């Protein structure tokens, strides 16, 4: 992989000299959030499996290391292909510091519970967007017969789950939750009898995890709709090769980067239907979006034309993805008039707005709504990536800005964007990784 691990555990910055229109072609990597779910699912398999199109990003390597810490044998065949043998797993406990480095470590609860009826996992870390409870995950496990799933039973931040036996259940999620849907699906695969998840999340990565499990021998129906039915099976034979879907959020970030720099970029290896919420808004704003079978070209017919303001509300798939909210706010800053962004998924996901203001953005936030006064001219500044997608938004703003921007804590961006320096450089950007200022040394936890 690229040199991102040379700085593992250390902080660094991206220096971006803006004002260059991005031009050319770019390939999208495998989906971070699908890969994290699929890797967790792979530890339930009773044989070996091979994963292709695995993104070469920090969070995925942390998830691999977590699975190795359980005893799994994981070998890289190449940069994006891994052979996983979970038959060597010898513990159901994961409580070390790796667990709190990624949010998705919570998938080990469902996977280990499904695998052997027991899981002992530290509560996960995560980007700070306000409270991030896992009550729905625990409720699902409890309905399936697991003991240890009530808040009172969580001991020193460790969830100790045990089911004897784990059985199917009807699970109603009163909030649409990606994590709870995947966790319930994982546990249900090997539970006795049938499980029904009602008001399930429908994100592309839910479907990808279900497709992976089905190819390993699971019986999951309805993934991608709001009711998922799973018939438990005693064995998941595995011995199959599976390719991770492209990353919807990486693709959207590059679409926005192309747009804000008045560029002309064709983004390959994406699924255009996954991009519809963003493509539709960008067309409404006046951008040209040309869809191919597995590509999208983004450009402006005439750079003098008006960019129209619009209103966006994030919501679960197929709604507008919250993980593109910060980047889209940068896009809305270039509109001719006032736009509105309503964050409907996370309680507090506008923490990056003061950073954008340092670059010249004129945004007023009131509770979950940001009012974006357009026609901002971004200028270079020293700013901080407060989390992964906030960092991606600052990269977009910096590419558009006049002058040089330093994005501190840029290691947070590398958690979810494969080879971002290499990819943007190939499109004509001037972006370099530099050592950070010493005052930026907070712990980084993740997405
Ligand atoms: C996943 O987080 C993603 N992370 C997030 O992406 C993404 O923002 C989020 O889904 C929404 O799309 C991974 O896939 C690893 P949720 P997750 O459970 O599963 C509430 C990124 O940038 N809720 O769908 O943790 C919760 O507070 C990351 O790549 C409960 O109330 O999100 C939130 O308001 C960041 N109780 C809403 O549901 C629960 O038990 C949706 O959360 C669980 C969630």
């Amino acid at each position: 992989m690229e040199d991102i691990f040379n700085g593992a555990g250390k902080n660094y910055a991206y220096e971006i000299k803006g004002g260059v229109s991005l031009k050319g072609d770019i390939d999208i990597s495998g989906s971070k959030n699908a890969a994290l779910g699929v890797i967790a699912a792979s530890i339930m398999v009773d044989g070996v499996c091979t994963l292709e199109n695995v993104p070469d990003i920090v969070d995925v390597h942390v998830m691999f290391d977590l699975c190795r810490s359980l005893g799994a044998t994981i070998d890289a065949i190449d940069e994006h292909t891994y052979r996983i043998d979970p038959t060597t797993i010898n513990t159901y406990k994961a409580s070390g510091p790796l667990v709190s480095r990624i949010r998705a470590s919570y998938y080990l609860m469902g996977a280990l519970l499904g695998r052997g009826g027991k899981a002992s996992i530290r509560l996960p870390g995560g980007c700070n967007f306000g409270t991030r409870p896992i009550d729905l995950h625990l409720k699902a496990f409890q309905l399936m017969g697991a003991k240890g799933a009530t808040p009172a039973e969580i001991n020193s931040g460790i969830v100790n789950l045990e089911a004897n036996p784990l059985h199917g259940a009807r699970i109603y999620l009163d909030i649409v939750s990606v994590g709870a849907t995947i966790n319930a699906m994982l546990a249900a695969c090997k539970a006795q009898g049938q499980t029904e998840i009602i008001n399930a999340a429908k994100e592309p990565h839910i479907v990808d995890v279900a497709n992976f499990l089905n190819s390993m021998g699971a019986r999951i129906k309805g993934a991608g709709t709001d009711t998922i039915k799973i018939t438990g099976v005693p064995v998941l034979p595995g011995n199959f090769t599976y390719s991770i879907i492209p990353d919807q959020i990486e693709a959207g970030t590059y679409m926005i980067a192309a747009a804000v720099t008045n560029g002309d970029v064709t983004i390959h290896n994406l699924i255009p239907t996954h991009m519809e919420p963003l493509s539709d808004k960008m067309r409404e704003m006046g951008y040209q979006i040309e869809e191919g079978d597995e590509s999208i070209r983004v450009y402006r017919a005439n750079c003098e034309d008006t960019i129209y303001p619009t209103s966006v509300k994030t919501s679960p798939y197929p709604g507008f993805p919250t993980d593109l909210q910060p980047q889209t706010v940068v896009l809305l800053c270039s509109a001719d008039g006032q736009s509105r962004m309503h964050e409907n998924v996370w309680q507090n996901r506008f923490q990056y707005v003061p950073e954008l203001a340092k670059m010249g953005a004129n945004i007023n936030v009131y509770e979950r709504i940001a009012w974006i006064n357009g026609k901002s001219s971004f200028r270079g500044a020293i700013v901080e990536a407060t989390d992964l997608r906030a960092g991606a938004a600052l990269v977009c703003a910096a590419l558009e800005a006049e002058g040089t921007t330093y994005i501190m804590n840029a290691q947070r961006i590398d958690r979810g964007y494969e080879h971002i320096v290499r990819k943007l450089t190939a499109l004509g950007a001037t972006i370099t990784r530099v050592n950070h200022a010493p005052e930026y040394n907070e712990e980084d936890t993740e997405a």
Side-chain angles (χ1 to χ4, degrees):
M1 69 177 289
E2 220 173 7
D3 62 346
I4 51 178
F5 281 128
N6 292 343
K10 300 202 188 107
N11 300 352
Y12 48 86
Y14 282 147
E15 178 192 85
I16 298 177
K17 294 184 177 142
V20 176
S21 295
L22 299 184
K23 291 211 160 50
D25 295 77
I26 187 170
D27 282 323
I28 292 307
S29 301
S31 158
K32 168 181 86 90
N33 289 341
L36 293 170
V38 167
I39 295 166
S42 74
I43 70 164
M44 299 177 67
V45 175
D46 295 287
V48 172
C49 65
T50 302
L51 297 182
E52 296 176 339
N53 203 32
V54 177
D56 189 9
I57 52 175
V58 173
D59 277 21
V60 157
H61 290 280
V62 173
M63 186 56 114
F64 277 142
D65 284 346
L66 267 169
C67 295
R68 286 190 184 104
S69 76
L70 298 170
T73 308
I74 300 174
D75 298 313
I77 295 169
D78 62 39
E79 200 181 26
H80 299 116
T81 311
Y82 289 82
R83 182 180 179 278
I84 302 176
D85 178 359
T87 59
T88 49
I89 286 181
N90 51 28
T91 178
Y92 58 88
K93 294 182 180 172
S95 60
L98 280 177
V99 181
S100 45
R101 281 198 63 194
I102 56 168
R103 182 81 185 158
S105 53
Y106 56 32
Y107 291 143
L108 297 178
M109 294 183 195
L112 286 166
L113 201 54
R115 183 187 155 84
K118 272 183 168 187
S120 176
I121 311 285
R122 179 173 295 286
L123 287 169
C127 286
N128 182 11
F129 323 130
T131 44
R132 296 187 70 176
I134 60 159
D135 55 311
L136 295 171
H137 306 230
L138 297 176
K139 172 183 149 181
F141 299 144
Q142 204 177 357
L143 288 168
M144 296 172 79
K147 299 206 167 36
T150 62
E153 289 168 301
I154 298 173
N155 190 358
S156 306
I158 302 204
V159 184
N160 292 299
L161 301 169
E162 185 163 356
N164 192 13
L166 192 69
H167 56 74
R170 187 178 155 84
I171 299 163
Y172 171 75
L173 301 177
D174 60 351
I175 296 173
V176 177
S177 161
V178 170
T181 302
I182 291 182
N183 242 335
M185 205 163 70
L186 292 174
C189 274
K190 282 186 158 181
Q192 290 180 8
Q194 198 175 71
T195 297
E196 209 172 337
I197 308 171
I198 298 140
N199 201 26
K202 297 181 279 222
E203 268 64 8
H205 39 291
I206 306 275
V207 180
D208 211 35
V209 174
N211 286 344
F212 165 77
L213 284 162
N214 282 343
S215 65
M216 297 296 134
R219 290 177 61 197
I220 304 173
K221 286 189 178 159
T225 74
D226 48 23
T227 302
I228 303 180
K229 289 185 181 165
I230 304 131
T231 304
V233 293
V235 174
L236 292 176
N239 298 320
F240 203 85
T241 297
Y242 188 83
S243 185
I244 308 278
I245 51 163
D247 196 303
Q248 176 202 27
I249 306 302
E250 189 199 17
T253 303
Y254 286 114
M255 286 172 70
I256 291 169
V260 295
T261 60
N262 283 326
D264 185 346
V265 176
T266 303
I267 301 154
H268 299 271
N269 186 33
L270 52 66
I271 299 175
T273 49
H274 292 171
M275 306 317 303
E276 260 166 24
L278 177 64
S279 299
D280 182 65
K281 283 293 164 192
M282 290 182 74
R283 285 196 181 103
E284 201 180 308
M285 293 177 74
Y287 292 100
Q288 304 296 312
I289 306 290
E290 276 178 18
E291 289 180 7
D293 286 345
E294 291 183 359
S295 67
I296 287 183
R297 178 181 169 207
V298 178
Y299 64 102
R300 283 178 77 189
N302 180 350
C303 289
E304 303 306 315
D305 288 349
T306 303
I307 300 175
Y308 297 98
T310 186
S311 162
V312 182
K313 185 176 188 176
T314 66
S315 57
Y317 192 82
F320 195 94
T322 173
D323 294 344
L324 283 174
Q325 181 261 97
Q327 304 89 314
T328 304
V329 164
V330 171
L331 180 68
L332 295 173
C333 284
S334 51
D336 196 357
Q338 191 181 64
S339 298
R340 197 176 77 143
M341 173 61 80
H342 186 160
E343 173 54 56
N344 198 34
V345 176
W346 294 111
Q347 191 187 35
N348 186 8
R349 206 175 191 176
F350 287 120
Q351 286 162 327
Y352 62 90
V353 165
E355 302 305 306
L356 271 186
K358 290 178 193 164
M359 300 181 70
N362 180 358
I363 302 169
N364 299 314
V365 177
Y366 180 68
E367 295 184 346
R368 286 180 171 220
I369 298 180
W371 300 92
I372 300 118
N373 299 302
K375 283 276 176 202
S376 306
S377 301
F378 287 127
R379 54 183 181 272
I382 299 178
V383 290
E384 189 196 344
T386 48
D387 64 60
L388 164 62
R389 307 303 173 187
L394 291 169
V395 169
C396 293
L399 291 166
E400 179 186 347
E402 280 301 313
T404 302
T405 298
Y406 290 89
I407 304 176
M408 315 308 292
N409 275 324
Q411 74 283 351
R412 290 182 174 148
I413 301 168
D414 287 335
R415 312 185 85 115
Y417 289 87
E418 177 175 308
H419 307 330
I420 190 168
V421 171
R422 195 194 294 171
K423 288 188 183 188
L424 283 172
T425 303
L427 295 176
T430 307
I431 170 169
T432 335
R433 183 175 139 179
V434 294
N435 286 334
H436 63 90
E439 65 267 28
Y440 288 87
N441 56 5
E442 298 121 70
E443 280 294 303
D444 50 317
T445 50
E446 145 23 334

